[in-house]
Amino acid sequence: MKLKVCGITNEADALAAAQAGVDYLGYILNYAASPRFVLPNTVRTIIQRTKQLYPTVQHVGVLVNPTDQLIVEVEQLGVDLLQIYGDIPTNITKPIWQSEVGGVSQPQSKLVTMLHCDAGFGSGNTLPLDLLKQLRPALPLVIAGGITVDNVREIIQLCQPTVVDVNSGVESVPGKKDINKIYALRQVILQN
């Protein structure tokens, strides 16, 4: 099972998370309402630096209803894959995680490699336990939504995700990651 830390806003957090052994780092690129929104030039710099020191970490551009033009711009930042909420443009060349709030549906594109189920755009809310039990995705599952060291074990048991995606559950304040919480969560995931 793999771990994604989403909502990376700065190089220090990216490098600390990579050192802690996370598999994916996520960047919220076009949802300005999020306290974890980050500008493309910052993302480019973070990715370049992180790839120099931790080349196996994958970088995820998180987008909400992106335009074709935005896809072109984001793919040039050095991301390895795209996580998309809403309609998926046809000009994508990277692998896609198709994201949905409150469930999963059939893949919209042949480039969709995983289905991402979220409780709601970094809200910190958790998905209902009965929903987690009922998830039967057509592709590997990425699960997100209010995941912390205290509830991750139960979430894993209920829905058997391929990737656990955390954001607010490993922060000291919105947009600032807490490395101790990342290490603690990573340890639980490694035991499952």
Side-chain angles (χ1 to χ4, degrees):
M1 183 170 317
K2 296 186 176 186
L3 175 61
K4 173 182 172 237
V5 173
C6 197
I8 295 293
T9 61
N10 61 78
E11 186 178 306
D13 285 354
L15 294 176
Q19 184 177 18
V22 304
D23 303 285
Y24 302 94
L25 296 173
Y27 309 92
I28 299 170
L29 288 161
N30 76 327
Y31 189 64
S34 172
R36 299 159 191 97
F37 170 75
V38 63
L39 295 172
N41 284 338
T42 302
V43 171
R44 180 181 287 110
T45 301
I46 293 170
I47 290 173
Q48 287 172 348
R49 180 71 174 140
T50 306
K51 282 188 174 187
Q52 288 173 348
L53 299 172
Y54 303 96
T56 61
V57 173
Q58 298 279 293
H59 299 271
V60 184
V62 180
L63 303 168
V64 179
N65 294 316
T67 63
D68 288 350
Q69 179 58 38
L70 181 61
I71 293 298
V72 171
E73 293 168 11
V74 170
E75 286 192 346
Q76 293 173 351
L77 298 177
V79 297
D80 299 294
L81 60 108
L82 300 172
Q83 177 184 323
I84 298 179
Y85 291 86
D87 293 332
I88 296 176
T90 58
N91 67 326
I92 295 174
T93 63
K94 305 280 183 182
I96 302 165
W97 290 359
Q98 180 177 307
S99 295
E100 194 170 328
V101 175
V104 292
S105 56
Q106 291 300 310
Q108 294 179 33
S109 162
K110 291 181 180 178
L111 292 175
V112 174
T113 59
M114 293 198 208
L115 296 174
H116 183 276
C117 182
D118 192 354
F121 300 118
S123 65
N125 297 328
T126 55
L127 290 159
L129 298 182
D130 60 332
L131 172 69
L132 292 172
K133 289 181 202 173
Q134 296 171 11
L135 288 175
R136 300 288 180 266
L139 292 171
L141 177 66
V142 181
I143 197 73
I147 299 172
T148 67
V149 71
D150 298 322
N151 66 10
V152 69
R153 187 172 279 117
E154 181 178 24
I155 290 168
I156 290 169
Q157 290 170 350
L158 289 172
C159 65
Q160 300 297 309
T162 301
V163 178
V164 172
D165 184 355
V166 297
N167 194 334
S168 62
V170 294
E171 288 183 328
S172 51
V173 296
K176 179 64 182 141
K177 303 308 178 198
D178 181 324
I179 191 61
N180 293 324
K181 290 181 180 180
I182 294 172
Y183 271 108
L185 189 69
R186 181 78 178 137
Q187 284 307 115
V188 174
I189 289 173
L190 287 172
Q191 294 166 6
N192 283 282

